[in-house]
Amino acid sequence: MADLQVPVLIVGGGGCGLSASLFLSNLGVDHLLVERHTDTSHLPKAHYLNQRTMEVFRQHGLAEAIYAVGTPPENFGKVRWRTSLGGDGPLDARTFHTMDSFGAGELYERYAHDGPSPSSNYPQLRLEPLIRQHAEQRGPGRVRFNHELVELEQDADGVTATVRDRASEAPFTVRAQYVIAADGGKTIGEMLGVEMHGPTGLLDMVSTHFTADLSAWADDSCLISWFVNPDGAGSWGSGALVPMGPTWGAASEEWVVHFTFGPDDPARFDEHAIVPRLRELFKLPELDITVHKVSHWILEGVLADRYQVGRVFLAGDSAHRHPPTTGLGLNTAIQDAHNLAWKLAAVVSGAAGPTLLDSYESERQAIGMRNVDWAMFTFLNHMLIDAGIGLMPGQSAEANRATFEAFFADTPMGATRRARADEVIRTQRTEFQAHDLEIGFRYERGALVPDGTEPPPSDPMGGVYHPTTRPGHRLPHAWLEQDGTRLSTHDLTELSRFVLLTGPDGEAWAAAAAIAEEKFGVPVRVVCVGDGFTDPEGTWARVREVSDAGAILVRPDNHVAFRAPAAVDNATDVLVDAFSTVLGH
Ligand SMILES: Cc1cc2nc3c(=O)[nH]c(=O)nc-3n(C[C@H](O)[C@H](O)[C@H](O)COP(=O)(O)OP(=O)(O)OC[C@H]3O[C@@H](n4cnc5c(N)ncnc54)[C@H](O)[C@@H]3O)c2cc1C
């Protein structure tokens, strides 16, 4: 007999595991989270929270807490490529290019049109304590730091884990129906023989977290400054500067600079060289710098060959690890947890069959693969930017300086060089304006009923989003009104509730939904736009792609499960069949 029995055990208290705990608590699923460290991570790591992640947090009651402390949009809407912050030489403090970024700045309105929750920015070392606080409040006693999973065995009925309380050294056993391996790939994958495929050991990313007053030189609207200078090895080799708050904009007290080194370069461990290197990079020789932490991160682009091994589900960095470009690490981790949480809730409550859980791998592994590829691609594209500016690998500092002088020269050829660089650097919108990649992704196979239609055209650069109600896609956002209250189509599902959206001629679907709800024991809300709900801006009418007599079944995670473009003869049979397929009965 195990010391503790819970439906779900979460291993790992990083962004993925803590989010999973919060989501499960909100869904009423008892669980235990074990994290081997005494505290959340002190490493700067990720910071950008894309629109889809903020929608997920909106659904789970955390978005407002993040907006209250996160970076205001006016402080994260630009990224800039520049030579240095200070200095008074002819090549100092010069800008190559400035780009709108992250759904803020000039992009804000376009992104706001497509979703109810704007993107945000809040460094992981501040975000994790916030998620932890909410997870602990909603699951008292269920989040245990300083506890390490040391063994895991599974049989047909469940999983038995041995956990060590690191304070007392006392081991205890936990019996769970299911395990979420949110351990960053440190423990469980290897125990279960999961293989990570893809290139690894590419570069050593060295992140230096420090305090300095850069307010006289930094830029209020700029989130990332990429330094490209004649002496450096290109933008990644020279360094990228990001404010860490807690005050935002140029007044940020804390900062992080990421450099990359070859994994065999001994200089990467030379912490004494860091402060002089930062001063040289910024061209601020007198700058007062207090270093908090220098951390190392091996760059790789790897994907787990399995996301599910029996009753264990890999999520976050345990399933996919990739470069930080496009900010897909933490965002994908949180969205993995979101995909899994409602399914676990439905299976644990008995509303769904266990095969619903198989859809986690078929849905999320494809997204993981795409995100690994995209992060690798946008990472390597920075080399193109260096070349577009004129920085060639192996070129001497003198030759680089001559190239830079020609670049900034007030001559026709200087203008040509600058125009070329603009065109080349704009290709990095694949990283900083990846709106479609962030919210336009879709599941082709999984807990859904395909309707045989083709997906809308996909922008190869990942920017232009086409809303669609095709099964597997994220439900398009539209503002509706009910009794004078404005709410998003995304607000209709509440945690574990399915939504059936119909029009004024959809009575047969409403009756069918009541029968399905009774039969499967899942909550279904019928929303008739045109009766009770209005579409004041006409947005829903433009994106729904079904008639007034059609219907769209939306899963609790706001992905479309099924749609009927028009009335059918036997709405009840059709809808019951759809639920059966989706719920794995
Ligand atoms: C130095 C660094 C910089 C990064 N920078 C960026 C960035 O700029 N942008 C970006 O998008 N991404 C970045 N990432 C990646 C991003 O931080 C990760 O994608 C994200 O943290 C994944 O979250 P996770 O919860 O899946 O894994 P993790 O954050 O790794 O959390 C896993 C947790 O599991 C715990 N654990 C492991 N084994 C056990 C066990 N046996 N028992 C109990 N607990 C265990 C670990 O202690 C850890 O706390 C960076 C990562 C690092 C390391």
Side-chain angles (χ1 to χ4, degrees):
M1 182 73 175
D3 299 310
L4 189 65
Q5 300 209 16
V6 278
V8 181
L9 173 67
I10 303 169
V11 182
C16 182
L18 288 168
S19 299
S21 169
L22 177 73
F23 303 159
L24 289 178
S25 288
N26 286 342
L27 288 157
V29 179
D30 191 15
H31 63 278
L32 182 74
L33 180 152
V34 292
E35 162 56 51
R36 66 181 172 195
H37 289 123
T38 49
D39 206 353
T40 49
S41 175
H42 294 176
L43 306 183
K45 302 205 221 178
H47 51 88
Y48 169 51
L49 300 169
N50 69 34
Q51 213 172 357
R52 183 64 193 137
T53 296
M54 293 310 294
E55 287 172 0
V56 165
F57 283 147
R58 173 190 180 92
Q59 187 186 39
H60 281 275
L62 192 65
E64 289 309 319
I66 294 172
Y67 292 133
V69 288
T71 315
E74 58 271 24
N75 298 126
F76 70 92
K78 304 263 182 233
V79 294
R80 183 191 278 202
W81 286 262
R82 63 208 312 171
T83 53
S84 65
L85 290 179
D88 50 16
L91 296 179
D92 293 336
R94 306 293 297 262
T95 292
F96 294 103
H97 187 91
T98 304
M99 182 181 286
D100 295 317
S101 63
F102 299 124
E106 300 297 314
L107 303 171
Y108 190 86
E109 289 304 322
R110 180 158 72 86
Y111 279 52
H113 178 266
D114 295 329
S117 306
S119 51
S120 189
N121 185 75
Y122 197 49
Q124 197 166 341
L125 59 71
R126 302 187 192 285
L127 177 72
E128 285 185 5
L130 186 67
I131 311 178
R132 177 180 176 181
Q133 180 200 340
H134 283 254
E136 285 176 341
Q137 269 166 10
R138 295 180 212 187
R142 288 328 206 189
V143 176
R144 296 199 196 165
F145 276 66
N146 215 15
H147 282 65
E148 181 173 24
L149 174 120
V150 287
E151 258 180 56
L152 190 79
E153 282 174 13
Q154 52 179 327
D155 53 54
D157 302 320
V159 185
T160 304
T162 308
V163 173
R164 188 166 60 98
D165 177 342
R166 298 182 74 185
S168 65
E169 288 296 323
F172 63 96
T173 52
V174 181
R175 181 78 176 158
Q177 293 172 42
Y178 298 102
V179 171
I180 302 179
D183 64 336
K186 309 284 191 318
T187 310
I188 297 180
E190 205 176 313
M191 274 181 185
L192 299 178
V194 173
E195 289 180 14
M196 303 299 292
H197 292 294
T200 187
L202 299 175
L203 288 168
D204 187 359
M205 172 104 61
V206 179
S207 302
T208 306
H209 175 204
F210 62 95
T211 290
D213 181 359
L214 296 175
S215 55
W217 305 279
D219 176 344
D220 252 347
S221 61
C222 183
L223 190 67
I224 306 183
S225 295
W226 301 91
F227 295 105
V228 185
N229 57 53
D231 306 314
S235 28
W236 275 116
S238 299
L241 173 73
V242 187
M244 300 294 287
T247 304
W248 300 112
S252 176
E253 296 84 353
E254 296 177 26
W255 301 83
V256 63
V257 166
H258 302 286
F259 308 112
T260 54
F261 287 83
D264 305 324
D265 186 344
R268 72 195 197 280
F269 290 121
D270 184 0
E271 294 199 5
H272 297 295
I274 291 276
V275 168
R277 184 171 169 168
L278 290 175
R279 288 186 180 133
E280 174 56 27
L281 177 68
F282 302 148
K283 290 277 164 76
L284 299 172
E286 307 297 326
L287 186 70
D288 200 8
I289 296 175
T290 307
V291 173
H292 302 299
K293 180 93 186 156
V294 181
S295 53
H296 291 257
W297 185 33
I298 292 293
L299 272 184
E300 51 189 349
V302 294
L303 181 75
D305 63 346
R306 284 172 293 165
Y307 271 39
Q308 177 181 5
V309 183
R311 291 171 170 270
V312 181
F313 299 91
L314 278 71
D317 269 22
S318 70
H320 44 80
R321 294 191 293 277
H322 29 95
T325 34
T326 327
L328 293 168
L330 181 63
N331 286 297
T332 312
I334 293 166
Q335 293 168 31
D336 287 343
H338 186 239
N339 182 284
L340 194 48
W342 75 269
K343 294 175 181 173
L344 283 168
V347 172
V348 165
S349 74
T355 55
L356 172 62
L357 293 170
D358 298 347
S359 68
Y360 170 68
E361 178 175 284
S362 50
E363 293 181 355
R364 294 304 297 173
Q365 192 182 36
I367 299 300
M369 182 183 291
R370 187 207 57 161
N371 288 357
V372 169
D373 285 350
W374 198 269
M376 288 293 290
F377 180 80
T378 50
F379 179 81
L380 292 171
N381 202 60
H382 281 271
M383 320 296 162
L384 200 69
I385 292 177
D386 297 336
I389 287 170
L391 202 65
M392 296 297 173
Q395 201 166 262
S396 68
E398 290 72 41
N400 286 341
R401 199 158 284 116
T403 302
F404 282 27
E405 279 162 6
F407 183 98
F408 291 114
D410 190 10
T411 61
M413 210 45 222
T416 302
R417 284 173 182 268
R418 292 191 293 277
R420 176 187 66 173
D422 272 348
E423 284 194 17
V424 172
I425 298 177
R426 273 207 306 273
T427 61
Q428 203 60 23
R429 67 186 184 278
T430 48
E431 174 177 3
F432 298 115
Q433 303 179 0
H435 186 43
D436 185 47
L437 185 101
E438 291 169 349
I439 64 166
F441 64 88
R442 62 176 188 265
Y443 305 136
E444 283 295 334
R445 286 187 312 115
L448 54 100
V449 184
D451 69 353
T453 57
E454 288 297 315
S458 167
D459 173 11
M461 299 300 273
V464 181
Y465 162 68
H466 295 279
T468 176
T469 57
R470 182 174 174 267
H473 291 249
R474 162 187 164 279
L475 177 72
H477 152 76
W479 290 115
L480 303 178
E481 251 180 51
Q482 184 191 30
D483 301 330
T485 303
R486 190 168 94 133
L487 72 176
S488 165
T489 43
H490 281 224
D491 298 331
L492 303 172
T493 52
E494 259 170 26
L495 302 173
S496 60
R497 188 166 63 182
F498 282 77
V499 166
L500 190 73
L501 277 151
T502 67
D505 302 331
E507 304 87 5
W509 292 111
I515 292 168
E517 183 171 47
E518 174 77 25
K519 183 172 170 64
F520 296 105
V522 287
V524 185
R525 177 181 192 182
V526 177
V527 170
C528 176
V529 182
D531 181 11
F533 289 83
T534 58
D535 178 17
E537 294 155 19
T539 313
W540 178 242
R542 284 194 293 278
V543 296
R544 66 182 177 165
E545 299 174 322
V546 301
S547 74
D548 279 351
I552 298 163
L553 179 64
V554 186
R555 312 189 318 191
D557 63 352
N558 275 320
H559 277 257
V560 175
F562 155 85
R563 70 174 173 180
V568 294
D569 291 340
N570 47 352
T572 300
D573 292 349
V574 170
L575 195 63
V576 165
D577 277 356
F579 266 105
S580 260
T581 305
V582 171
L583 295 175
H585 279 295

